[in-house]
Amino acid sequence: MYEGPIQDLIEELGRLPGVGPKSAQRIAFHLLTVERADAERLSGAITAVKERVRFCVRCYNVSEHEECRICRDARRDPAVVCVVQEPRDVLAIERTSEFRGLYHVLGGAISPIDGVGPEKLRIKELMARLGAEGITEIVLATNPNIEGEATASYLGRALKAVSSPEQPLRISRIASGLPVGGDLEYADEVTLGRAFAGRAEV
């Protein structure tokens, strides 16, 4: 155990996802040795993110404005919406250049073990967008793991229930090509691009 500010810093760094006690200690001592200007730049970037970045009012992607740059882009197809778990998944899909519609970020996946049910995700907001925006296709691009599959299955049933002959809704799921148990953010562009191009009807 260290004393004072260095121990406080180690403890705060240890709260970050994927940062264990040893990593937190290494980062803390690295920050202790860097130039003051470098440390202040990091501090300023963290402060700026907390002050200026918010969630898009339409799709819940991260944005500095009311609507994110994708929702504001008139060249995108507003009738096709890709549903993802987290904002970082939007970036992963955008890197493939295969999708030209809009997005909807759920803010997680159904996980009973972690106490996350459908009511804790932005599913109601997605349903509200269907009629309001004239959406004709939903692409389910949740992660290919147990939680992601459970979420896609739940959404598939819920979306089919609101589809009608008068207002048909095409519901598709991104195709295989991604490793089961993997995360979209770590997939390479070619694998993710093929999975997107070969998405299948739900």
Side-chain angles (χ1 to χ4, degrees):
M1 278 285 274
Y2 296 93
E3 292 182 359
I6 190 71
Q7 184 60 35
D8 293 342
L9 180 57
I10 291 168
E11 287 175 7
E12 290 305 317
L13 290 168
R15 294 175 194 269
L16 297 173
V19 179
K22 289 200 179 295
S23 294
Q25 188 173 311
R26 271 198 305 277
I27 296 166
F29 277 96
H30 170 74
L31 292 172
L32 192 62
T33 58
V34 299
E35 295 291 327
R36 184 181 184 89
D38 294 334
E40 286 174 350
R41 210 166 34 249
L42 173 62
S43 172
I46 293 169
T47 302
V49 161
K50 294 306 293 178
E51 287 176 352
R52 290 164 35 200
V53 177
R54 64 185 87 172
F55 291 112
C56 173
V57 295
R58 189 176 185 184
C59 74
Y60 301 94
N61 189 16
V62 289
S63 175
E64 281 192 67
H65 306 280
E66 280 237 333
E67 286 195 351
C68 70
R69 64 171 180 81
I70 295 171
C71 286
R72 295 196 315 269
D73 188 346
R75 296 167 299 177
R76 310 292 294 217
D77 183 355
V80 184
V81 171
C82 179
V83 178
V84 296
Q85 290 175 209
E86 302 291 349
R88 60 183 177 260
D89 299 332
V90 172
L91 182 61
I93 292 169
E94 284 297 287
R95 284 199 308 259
T96 71
S97 302
E98 288 284 339
F99 182 70
R100 298 303 302 160
L102 300 181
Y103 292 90
H104 187 84
V105 181
L106 294 171
I110 294 170
S111 177
I113 292 171
D114 298 319
V116 180
E119 71 287 347
K120 292 195 175 177
L121 305 178
R122 298 187 189 104
I123 295 173
K124 281 186 294 185
E125 291 83 350
L126 173 62
M127 296 303 191
R129 289 181 66 183
L130 294 178
E133 298 182 24
I135 294 166
T136 59
E137 181 180 358
I138 295 285
V139 181
L140 302 175
T142 52
N143 288 328
N145 55 25
I146 293 169
E147 294 82 6
E149 293 296 338
T151 306
S153 178
Y154 178 90
L155 281 171
R157 290 192 304 272
L159 291 164
K160 279 179 182 175
V162 298
S163 181
S164 66
E166 300 78 37
Q167 287 186 308
L169 181 65
R170 183 171 184 243
I171 307 157
S172 57
R173 174 90 168 110
I174 55 172
S176 58
L178 295 169
V180 174
D183 289 334
L184 287 176
E185 98 181 273
Y186 301 118
D188 65 276
E189 290 89 343
V190 174
T191 301
L192 191 51
R194 284 177 181 165
F196 225 85
R199 64 183 184 267
E201 197 89 22
V202 173

